Amino acid sequence: MQIEQIYTGCLAQGAYYVTSKGEAAIIDPLRETAPYIQRLEKDKVKLKYIFETHFHADFVSGHVDLGKKTGAAIVYGPNAACEFNCISAKDGEEFKIGDVVIKVLHTPGHTMESTTFLLKDEMGKDYCIFSGDTLFLGDVGRPDLAQKAANMTKEELAGLLYDSLMTKIMPLADDVIVYPAHGAGSACGKNMTTETVDTLGHQKKVNYALNQPDKTSFVKAVLEGLLPPPGYFGMNVAMNKKGYESFDVVLSHGLRALSPDEFEAAAESTGALVLDARDNKEFYRGYIPRSVNIGLVGDFAPWVGALIVDVKQPLLLITDEGKEEEAVTRLSRVGFDNVLGYLKGGFAVWLSSGKEADVVDRITAEQFAKEVKIGKDKIIDIRRESEYAAEHIKESYNKPLDYINDWIKGINPEEHFYIYCAGGYRSMIASSILQARGYRNFTEIEGGFKAISKTGIPRTDYVCQSKIMKA
């Protein structure tokens, strides 16, 4: 028996590869199938099952393509209404892979079909659980995503999750290994750790959700402090239920190389959004007017999903040379399949062709320290509320990037302001969006709060509620 966690940091997502006696199973695979198929061929094993812990909201799984290419059966837990061939397994049903067995433990609460898969080793001993979004390390799955589909309140779903954990997970032995679907950084929970593997016994000791005295306390603790889910989540669920365009087709369409004239014509004729995936240090010096910067080196796909929202939005890409395929692939993982092509040769070719370009007004933290007047100048901190609460520039306002589509409406175009995040990644995203919508009345701070904290600018952890933007 071999178990391998395949962890994708930009999505904070774990897929799992299990082999035994010439047979294999994959749990919660990513969209692109080639790496899995290459691995199966290398190991000379046959993929027998693709297990899905639930209909994922934060990414599009590779189950449909992988099933078609390998002939493997797709297995969900009870209540899974797929619009493609799949097995909706019964609670307690077992599936054999070589000399090991995977048992279905129906654990509704995060969603109604949510299932934990218990692997029993060659000796029949409980060895590990693939817990999906039912149990994370340090947290449990948020119970507010499936309210409409389940016709239940988030409180009712949280209560159902409590029952699932107490009756199906907690009775398992302490030495059972926990393999969750996500780690820190995922929007599917609020308190996940950076570790991606643990024992159940340790989680019983340290996981706040598993240490609540009763169901009422559990419901309150789990629901407290949840941020609104990203807007693209529902569209990803639909794709995972109904199926989707083959990744091979999506990649082929997205990798169309366009000249500056073709690129410009495509943008004008289709209403495509120009997505510039270069580093913020390059973008601010020059970019195509009205393009949006979301750097590929960072949480690229989740930010695209959170800010662009509509997965059907036509996109045109600008990347560093050789990064086009990576960008299309990462966009497809969150359902953004409508990439029309990329600018061949990148922004340098656009510039050399004599076409119009724009810049962002960026200054260093040192420059900022020399010119800012605390209490007089307006300063906007676009980090998340928890980051702002830990420490921020005195008299600054907190308007998280997550909610820019809401707070941008209240910006006075005649009033100058400074804008910063933690290190410059998010503030450049915000800057590009602001300028794409006609706002030029701001200055962005290079290096963000990390650089600012090295200057003498006064900082505080005092939080004035009137300076926090509520979504």
Coordinates of all heavy atoms in Angstrom, one line a residue, residues 187-267:
A187 N -10.7 29.2 1.6 CA -11.9 29.9 2.1 C -13.0 29.0 2.5 O -14.0 29.4 2.9 CB -12.4 30.8 0.9
C188 N -12.6 27.7 2.6 CA -13.6 26.7 3.0 C -13.6 26.5 4.5 O -14.4 25.7 5.1 CB -13.3 25.3 2.4 SG -13.6 25.3 0.6
G189 N -12.8 27.2 5.2 CA -12.7 27.2 6.7 C -12.1 28.5 7.2 O -11.8 29.3 6.4
K190 N -12.0 28.6 8.5 CA -11.5 29.9 9.0 C -10.3 29.8 9.9 O -9.7 30.8 10.3 CB -12.6 30.6 9.8 CG -13.1 29.8 11.0 CD -14.3 30.5 11.8 CE -14.7 29.7 12.9 NZ -15.8 30.3 13.7
N191 N -10.0 28.5 10.3 CA -9.0 28.4 11.4 C -8.0 27.2 11.1 O -7.5 26.6 12.0 CB -9.7 28.1 12.7 CG -8.7 28.3 13.9 OD1 -8.1 29.3 14.0 ND2 -8.7 27.3 14.8
M192 N -7.8 26.9 9.8 CA -7.0 25.8 9.4 C -5.5 26.0 9.7 O -5.0 27.2 9.6 CB -7.2 25.4 7.9 CG -8.5 24.8 7.7 SD -8.8 24.5 5.9 CE -9.7 26.0 5.5
T193 N -4.8 25.0 10.0 CA -3.3 25.1 10.3 C -2.5 24.9 9.0 O -3.1 24.5 7.9 CB -2.9 24.0 11.2 OG1 -3.0 22.7 10.6 CG2 -3.7 24.0 12.5
T194 N -1.3 25.3 9.0 CA -0.4 25.1 7.9 C 0.0 23.7 7.7 O 0.4 23.3 6.6 CB 0.9 26.0 8.0 OG1 1.5 25.7 9.3 CG2 0.5 27.5 8.0
E195 N -0.1 22.9 8.7 CA 0.2 21.4 8.6 C -0.9 20.8 7.7 O -2.1 21.2 7.7 CB 0.3 20.7 9.9 CG 1.4 21.1 10.8 CD 1.3 22.4 11.5 OE1 0.2 22.9 11.5 OE2 2.3 23.0 12.0
T196 N -0.6 19.8 7.0 CA -1.5 19.1 6.1 C -1.8 17.7 6.4 O -2.6 17.0 5.7 CB -1.1 19.3 4.6 OG1 0.2 18.6 4.5 CG2 -0.9 20.7 4.2
V197 N -1.1 17.1 7.4 CA -1.4 15.8 7.8 C -1.2 15.7 9.4 O -0.4 16.3 9.9 CB -0.3 14.8 7.2 CG1 -0.6 13.3 7.7 CG2 -0.4 14.8 5.7
D198 N -2.1 14.9 10.0 CA -2.1 14.8 11.5 C -2.7 13.5 11.9 O -3.4 12.8 11.0 CB -2.8 16.0 12.1 CG -2.4 16.2 13.6 OD1 -1.5 15.4 14.1 OD2 -2.9 17.1 14.2
T199 N -2.7 13.2 13.2 CA -3.4 12.1 13.7 C -4.7 12.6 14.2 O -4.8 13.7 14.7 CB -2.6 11.3 14.8 OG1 -2.5 12.2 15.9 CG2 -1.3 10.8 14.3
L200 N -5.7 11.7 14.2 CA -7.0 12.1 14.8 C -6.9 12.3 16.3 O -7.5 13.3 16.8 CB -8.0 11.0 14.5 CG -9.5 11.2 15.0 CD1 -10.0 12.5 14.4 CD2 -10.3 10.0 14.7
G201 N -6.0 11.6 17.0 CA -5.9 11.8 18.4 C -5.4 13.2 18.7 O -5.9 13.8 19.7
H202 N -4.5 13.7 17.9 CA -4.0 15.1 18.2 C -5.1 16.1 17.9 O -5.2 17.1 18.6 CB -2.7 15.3 17.3 CG -2.1 16.6 17.7 ND1 -2.0 17.7 16.8 CD2 -1.5 17.1 18.8 CE1 -1.4 18.7 17.4 NE2 -1.0 18.4 18.6
Q203 N -5.9 15.9 16.8 CA -6.9 16.8 16.5 C -8.0 16.8 17.6 O -8.6 17.8 17.9 CB -7.6 16.4 15.2 CG -6.7 16.9 14.0 CD -6.5 18.4 14.0 OE1 -7.4 19.2 13.9 NE2 -5.2 18.7 14.0
K204 N -8.2 15.6 18.2 CA -9.2 15.6 19.3 C -8.7 16.5 20.5 O -9.6 17.0 21.2 CB -9.3 14.1 19.8 CG -10.1 13.2 18.9 CD -10.1 11.8 19.4 CE -10.8 10.8 18.5 NZ -10.7 9.4 18.9
K205 N -7.4 16.7 20.6 CA -6.9 17.5 21.7 C -6.9 19.0 21.3 O -7.2 19.9 22.2 CB -5.5 17.1 22.0 CG -5.4 15.7 22.7 CD -3.9 15.3 22.9 CE -3.8 13.9 23.5 NZ -2.4 13.5 23.6
V206 N -6.5 19.3 20.1 CA -6.3 20.7 19.7 C -7.3 21.4 18.9 O -7.3 22.7 18.8 CB -4.9 20.8 19.0 CG1 -3.8 20.3 19.9 CG2 -4.9 20.2 17.6
N207 N -8.2 20.7 18.2 CA -9.1 21.3 17.3 C -10.3 21.9 18.1 O -11.0 21.2 18.8 CB -9.7 20.3 16.3 CG -10.5 20.8 15.2 OD1 -11.3 21.7 15.4 ND2 -10.2 20.4 14.0
Y208 N -10.4 23.2 18.0 CA -11.5 23.9 18.8 C -12.9 23.4 18.6 O -13.7 23.3 19.5 CB -11.5 25.4 18.5 CG -12.2 25.8 17.3 CD1 -13.5 26.2 17.3 CD2 -11.6 25.7 16.0 CE1 -14.3 26.5 16.2 CE2 -12.3 26.0 14.9 CZ -13.6 26.4 14.9 OH -14.3 26.7 13.8
A209 N -13.1 23.0 17.4 CA -14.5 22.5 17.1 C -14.8 21.1 17.7 O -16.0 20.9 18.1 CB -14.7 22.4 15.5
L210 N -13.8 20.3 17.9 CA -14.0 19.0 18.5 C -14.0 19.1 20.0 O -14.2 18.0 20.6 CB -12.9 18.1 18.0 CG -12.8 17.8 16.5 CD1 -11.7 16.8 16.2 CD2 -14.1 17.3 15.9
N211 N -13.7 20.2 20.5 CA -13.7 20.4 22.0 C -14.8 21.2 22.6 O -14.6 21.8 23.7 CB -12.3 21.0 22.4 CG -11.2 19.9 22.3 OD1 -11.1 19.1 23.2 ND2 -10.4 19.9 21.2
Q212 N -15.8 21.4 21.8 CA -17.0 22.1 22.4 C -17.8 21.2 23.3 O -17.9 20.0 23.0 CB -17.9 22.6 21.2 CG -17.2 23.6 20.3 CD -16.7 24.9 21.1 OE1 -17.4 25.4 21.9 NE2 -15.4 25.3 20.8
P213 N -18.4 21.7 24.4 CA -19.1 20.9 25.4 C -20.4 20.3 24.9 O -20.8 19.3 25.4 CB -19.3 21.9 26.5 CG -19.3 23.2 25.9 CD -18.3 23.2 24.8
D214 N -21.0 20.9 23.9 CA -22.3 20.4 23.4 C -22.6 21.0 22.0 O -21.8 21.8 21.5 CB -23.4 20.8 24.4 CG -23.5 22.3 24.7 OD1 -23.3 23.1 23.8 OD2 -23.6 22.6 25.9
K215 N -23.7 20.5 21.4 CA -24.0 20.9 20.1 C -24.3 22.4 20.0 O -23.8 23.1 19.0 CB -25.3 20.2 19.6 CG -25.6 20.5 18.1 CD -26.9 19.8 17.7 CE -26.8 18.4 17.5 NZ -28.0 17.8 16.9
T216 N -24.9 23.0 20.9 CA -25.2 24.5 20.9 C -23.9 25.3 20.8 O -23.8 26.2 20.0 CB -26.0 24.9 22.1 OG1 -27.3 24.2 22.1 CG2 -26.3 26.4 22.1
S217 N -23.0 24.9 21.7 CA -21.7 25.6 21.7 C -20.9 25.4 20.4 O -20.3 26.3 19.9 CB -20.8 25.1 22.8 OG -21.5 25.3 24.1
F218 N -21.0 24.2 19.8 CA -20.4 23.9 18.6 C -20.9 24.7 17.4 O -20.1 25.3 16.7 CB -20.6 22.4 18.2 CG -20.1 22.0 16.9 CD1 -18.8 21.5 16.7 CD2 -20.9 22.0 15.8 CE1 -18.3 21.1 15.5 CE2 -20.4 21.7 14.5 CZ -19.1 21.2 14.4
V219 N -22.2 24.8 17.3 CA -22.8 25.6 16.3 C -22.4 27.1 16.4 O -22.0 27.7 15.4 CB -24.4 25.5 16.4 CG1 -25.1 26.5 15.4 CG2 -24.8 24.1 16.0
K220 N -22.4 27.6 17.6 CA -22.0 29.0 17.8 C -20.5 29.2 17.4 O -20.2 30.2 16.7 CB -22.2 29.4 19.2 CG -21.9 30.9 19.5 CD -22.1 31.2 21.0 CE -21.7 32.7 21.2 NZ -21.9 33.1 22.7
A221 N -19.7 28.3 17.9 CA -18.2 28.5 17.6 C -17.9 28.3 16.1 O -17.0 29.1 15.6 CB -17.5 27.4 18.4
V222 N -18.5 27.4 15.5 CA -18.2 27.1 14.1 C -18.7 28.3 13.2 O -18.1 28.6 12.2 CB -18.8 25.8 13.6 CG1 -18.8 25.6 12.1 CG2 -18.1 24.7 14.3
L223 N -19.8 28.9 13.5 CA -20.4 29.9 12.6 C -19.8 31.3 12.9 O -19.9 32.2 12.1 CB -21.9 30.0 12.8 CG -22.7 28.8 12.3 CD1 -24.2 28.9 12.6 CD2 -22.5 28.5 10.8
E224 N -19.2 31.5 14.1 CA -18.7 32.8 14.5 C -17.5 33.2 13.6 O -16.6 32.4 13.4 CB -18.3 32.7 15.9 CG -17.9 34.1 16.5 CD -17.5 34.0 18.0 OE1 -17.2 32.9 18.5 OE2 -17.6 35.1 18.6
G225 N -17.6 34.4 13.1 CA -16.5 34.9 12.3 C -16.3 34.5 10.9 O -15.3 34.7 10.3
L226 N -17.3 33.8 10.4 CA -17.2 33.3 9.0 C -17.3 34.5 8.0 O -18.3 35.3 8.1 CB -18.3 32.3 8.6 CG -18.1 30.9 9.1 CD1 -19.3 30.0 8.7 CD2 -16.8 30.3 8.5
L227 N -16.4 34.6 7.1 CA -16.5 35.7 6.0 C -17.5 35.2 5.0 O -17.6 34.0 4.8 CB -15.1 36.0 5.4 CG -14.1 36.6 6.4 CD1 -12.7 36.7 5.7 CD2 -14.5 38.0 6.8
P228 N -18.1 36.1 4.2 CA -19.0 35.6 3.1 C -18.2 34.8 2.1 O -17.0 35.1 1.8 CB -19.4 37.0 2.5 CG -19.3 38.0 3.6 CD -18.1 37.5 4.4
P229 N -18.7 33.7 1.6 CA -18.0 32.9 0.6 C -17.8 33.7 -0.7 O -18.6 34.5 -1.1 CB -18.9 31.7 0.4 CG -20.3 32.2 0.7 CD -20.1 33.2 1.8
P230 N -16.7 33.4 -1.4 CA -16.4 34.1 -2.7 C -17.6 33.8 -3.7 O -18.2 32.7 -3.6 CB -15.1 33.4 -3.2 CG -14.4 33.0 -1.9 CD -15.5 32.6 -1.0
G231 N -17.8 34.8 -4.5 CA -19.0 34.7 -5.4 C -18.9 33.6 -6.5 O -20.0 33.1 -6.9
Y232 N -17.7 33.1 -6.8 CA -17.6 32.0 -7.8 C -17.9 30.6 -7.3 O -18.0 29.7 -8.1 CB -16.2 32.1 -8.4 CG -15.1 31.5 -7.6 CD1 -14.6 30.2 -7.8 CD2 -14.5 32.2 -6.6 CE1 -13.6 29.7 -7.0 CE2 -13.5 31.7 -5.8 CZ -13.0 30.4 -6.1 OH -12.0 29.9 -5.3
F233 N -18.0 30.5 -6.0 CA -18.2 29.2 -5.4 C -19.4 28.4 -6.0 O -19.3 27.2 -6.3 CB -18.4 29.3 -3.9 CG -17.1 29.2 -3.1 CD1 -15.9 29.6 -3.7 CD2 -17.1 28.8 -1.8 CE1 -14.7 29.5 -2.9 CE2 -15.9 28.7 -1.0 CZ -14.7 29.1 -1.6
G234 N -20.5 29.1 -6.1 CA -21.7 28.4 -6.6 C -21.6 27.9 -8.0 O -22.1 26.8 -8.4
M235 N -20.8 28.6 -8.8 CA -20.6 28.2 -10.2 C -19.7 27.0 -10.3 O -19.8 26.1 -11.2 CB -20.0 29.4 -11.0 CG -20.9 30.6 -11.1 SD -20.1 32.0 -11.9 CE -21.0 33.4 -11.3
N236 N -18.7 26.9 -9.4 CA -17.8 25.8 -9.4 C -18.6 24.5 -8.9 O -18.4 23.4 -9.5 CB -16.6 26.0 -8.4 CG -15.5 26.7 -9.1 OD1 -14.4 26.7 -8.6 ND2 -15.8 27.4 -10.2
V237 N -19.5 24.7 -8.0 CA -20.4 23.6 -7.5 C -21.1 23.0 -8.7 O -21.2 21.8 -9.0 CB -21.3 24.0 -6.4 CG1 -22.4 22.9 -6.2 CG2 -20.5 24.2 -5.1
A238 N -21.7 23.9 -9.5 CA -22.5 23.5 -10.7 C -21.7 22.8 -11.7 O -22.1 21.8 -12.2 CB -23.2 24.8 -11.3
M239 N -20.5 23.2 -11.9 CA -19.6 22.5 -12.9 C -19.2 21.1 -12.4 O -19.2 20.2 -13.1 CB -18.3 23.4 -13.1 CG -18.6 24.7 -13.9 SD -17.1 25.7 -14.0 CE -16.2 24.8 -15.3
N240 N -19.0 21.0 -11.1 CA -18.7 19.7 -10.5 C -19.8 18.8 -10.5 O -19.6 17.5 -10.6 CB -18.1 19.9 -9.1 CG -16.7 20.4 -9.0 OD1 -15.9 19.9 -9.8 ND2 -16.4 21.3 -8.2
K241 N -21.0 19.3 -10.5 CA -22.2 18.4 -10.5 C -22.6 18.0 -12.0 O -23.0 16.9 -12.2 CB -23.4 19.2 -9.9 CG -23.5 19.2 -8.4 CD -24.8 19.8 -8.0 CE -24.9 19.8 -6.4 NZ -26.2 20.4 -6.0
K242 N -22.5 19.0 -12.9 CA -23.0 18.8 -14.2 C -22.0 18.3 -15.2 O -22.3 17.8 -16.3 CB -23.6 20.2 -14.7 CG -24.8 20.7 -13.9 CD -25.2 22.0 -14.4 CE -26.4 22.5 -13.6 NZ -26.9 23.9 -14.1
G243 N -20.7 18.6 -14.9 CA -19.6 18.3 -15.9 C -19.2 19.6 -16.5 O -19.7 20.7 -16.2
Y244 N -18.2 19.5 -17.4 CA -17.6 20.7 -17.9 C -16.8 20.4 -19.2 O -16.7 19.2 -19.6 CB -16.6 21.2 -16.9 CG -15.7 20.2 -16.2 CD1 -14.7 19.5 -16.9 CD2 -16.0 19.7 -14.9 CE1 -13.9 18.5 -16.3 CE2 -15.3 18.7 -14.3 CZ -14.2 18.1 -15.0 OH -13.5 17.1 -14.4
E245 N -16.3 21.4 -19.9 CA -15.5 21.3 -21.1 C -14.2 20.6 -20.7 O -13.6 20.8 -19.7 CB -15.2 22.7 -21.6 CG -14.4 22.7 -22.9 CD -15.3 22.3 -24.1 OE1 -16.0 23.1 -24.7 OE2 -15.3 21.1 -24.5
S246 N -13.8 19.7 -21.6 CA -12.5 19.0 -21.4 C -11.4 20.0 -21.2 O -11.3 21.0 -21.9 CB -12.2 18.1 -22.6 OG -10.8 17.7 -22.5
F247 N -10.5 19.7 -20.2 CA -9.4 20.6 -19.9 C -8.5 20.7 -21.2 O -7.9 21.8 -21.4 CB -8.6 20.1 -18.8 CG -7.3 20.8 -18.6 CD1 -7.2 22.1 -18.1 CD2 -6.1 20.2 -18.9 CE1 -6.0 22.8 -17.9 CE2 -4.9 20.9 -18.7 CZ -4.9 22.2 -18.2
D248 N -8.4 19.7 -22.0 CA -7.5 19.7 -23.2 C -8.1 20.8 -24.1 O -7.3 21.5 -24.8 CB -7.5 18.4 -23.9 CG -6.9 17.3 -23.0 OD1 -6.1 17.6 -22.1 OD2 -7.3 16.1 -23.2
V249 N -9.4 20.9 -24.3 CA -10.0 21.9 -25.1 C -9.8 23.3 -24.6 O -9.4 24.2 -25.3 CB -11.5 21.6 -25.3 CG1 -12.2 22.7 -26.1 CG2 -11.7 20.3 -26.0
V250 N -10.0 23.4 -23.3 CA -9.8 24.7 -22.6 C -8.3 25.2 -22.8 O -8.1 26.4 -23.1 CB -10.1 24.6 -21.1 CG1 -9.7 25.9 -20.4 CG2 -11.6 24.3 -20.9
L251 N -7.4 24.3 -22.6 CA -6.0 24.7 -22.8 C -5.7 25.1 -24.2 O -4.9 26.1 -24.4 CB -5.1 23.5 -22.3 CG -3.6 23.8 -22.2 CD1 -3.3 24.9 -21.2 CD2 -2.8 22.5 -21.9
S252 N -6.2 24.4 -25.2 CA -6.0 24.7 -26.6 C -6.5 26.0 -26.9 O -5.8 26.8 -27.6 CB -6.6 23.6 -27.4 OG -6.5 23.9 -28.8
H253 N -7.7 26.4 -26.5 CA -8.2 27.7 -26.7 C -7.4 28.8 -26.1 O -7.2 29.9 -26.6 CB -9.7 27.8 -26.2 CG -10.6 27.0 -27.1 ND1 -11.9 26.7 -26.7 CD2 -10.5 26.4 -28.3 CE1 -12.5 26.0 -27.6 NE2 -11.7 25.8 -28.6
G254 N -7.0 28.6 -24.8 CA -6.3 29.6 -24.1 C -4.9 29.9 -24.6 O -4.4 31.0 -24.3
L255 N -4.3 28.9 -25.3 CA -3.0 29.1 -25.7 C -2.9 29.6 -27.1 O -1.9 29.3 -27.9 CB -2.2 27.8 -25.6 CG -1.9 27.3 -24.1 CD1 -1.1 26.1 -24.1 CD2 -1.3 28.4 -23.3
R256 N -3.8 30.4 -27.5 CA -3.8 31.1 -28.8 C -2.9 32.3 -28.7 O -3.2 33.2 -27.9 CB -5.2 31.5 -29.3 CG -6.1 30.3 -29.7 CD -7.5 30.8 -29.9 NE -8.4 29.8 -30.3 CZ -9.7 29.8 -30.1 NH1 -10.3 30.8 -29.5 NH2 -10.5 28.8 -30.5
A257 N -1.8 32.3 -29.5 CA -0.8 33.5 -29.4 C -1.4 34.6 -30.3 O -1.6 34.4 -31.5 CB 0.5 33.0 -29.9
L258 N -1.5 35.8 -29.7 CA -2.1 36.9 -30.5 C -1.1 38.0 -30.6 O -0.4 38.4 -29.6 CB -3.3 37.4 -29.7 CG -4.5 36.4 -29.5 CD1 -5.6 37.0 -28.6 CD2 -5.0 35.9 -30.8
S259 N -1.0 38.6 -31.8 CA -0.2 39.8 -32.0 C -0.9 41.0 -31.2 O -2.0 40.9 -30.9 CB -0.1 40.1 -33.5 OG -1.3 40.6 -34.0
P260 N -0.2 42.1 -31.1 CA -0.8 43.3 -30.4 C -2.1 43.7 -31.1 O -3.1 44.0 -30.4 CB 0.3 44.3 -30.5 CG 1.6 43.6 -30.4 CD 1.3 42.3 -31.2
D261 N -2.1 43.7 -32.5 CA -3.3 44.1 -33.2 C -4.4 43.1 -32.9 O -5.6 43.5 -32.7 CB -3.0 44.3 -34.7 CG -2.2 45.5 -35.0 OD1 -2.1 46.4 -34.2 OD2 -1.6 45.5 -36.1
E262 N -4.1 41.8 -33.0 CA -5.1 40.8 -32.8 C -5.6 40.9 -31.3 O -6.8 40.7 -31.1 CB -4.5 39.4 -33.1 CG -4.2 39.2 -34.5 CD -3.4 37.9 -34.7 OE1 -2.6 37.5 -33.9 OE2 -3.6 37.3 -35.8
F263 N -4.7 41.1 -30.4 CA -5.1 41.2 -29.0 C -6.0 42.3 -28.8 O -7.1 42.2 -28.1 CB -3.8 41.4 -28.2 CG -4.0 41.2 -26.7 CD1 -3.8 39.9 -26.1 CD2 -4.2 42.3 -25.9 CE1 -3.9 39.8 -24.7 CE2 -4.4 42.1 -24.5 CZ -4.2 40.9 -23.9
E264 N -5.7 43.5 -29.3 CA -6.5 44.7 -29.2 C -7.9 44.5 -29.8 O -8.9 44.9 -29.2 CB -5.8 45.9 -29.8 CG -6.4 47.2 -29.5 CD -5.6 48.4 -30.1 OE1 -5.1 48.3 -31.2 OE2 -5.4 49.3 -29.3
A265 N -7.9 43.9 -31.0 CA -9.2 43.7 -31.7 C -10.1 42.7 -30.9 O -11.3 42.9 -30.8 CB -8.9 43.1 -33.1
A266 N -9.5 41.7 -30.3 CA -10.2 40.7 -29.5 C -10.8 41.3 -28.3 O -12.0 41.1 -27.9 CB -9.3 39.5 -29.2
A267 N -10.0 42.2 -27.6 CA -10.5 42.9 -26.5 C -11.7 43.8 -26.8 O -12.7 43.8 -26.1 CB -9.4 43.7 -25.8

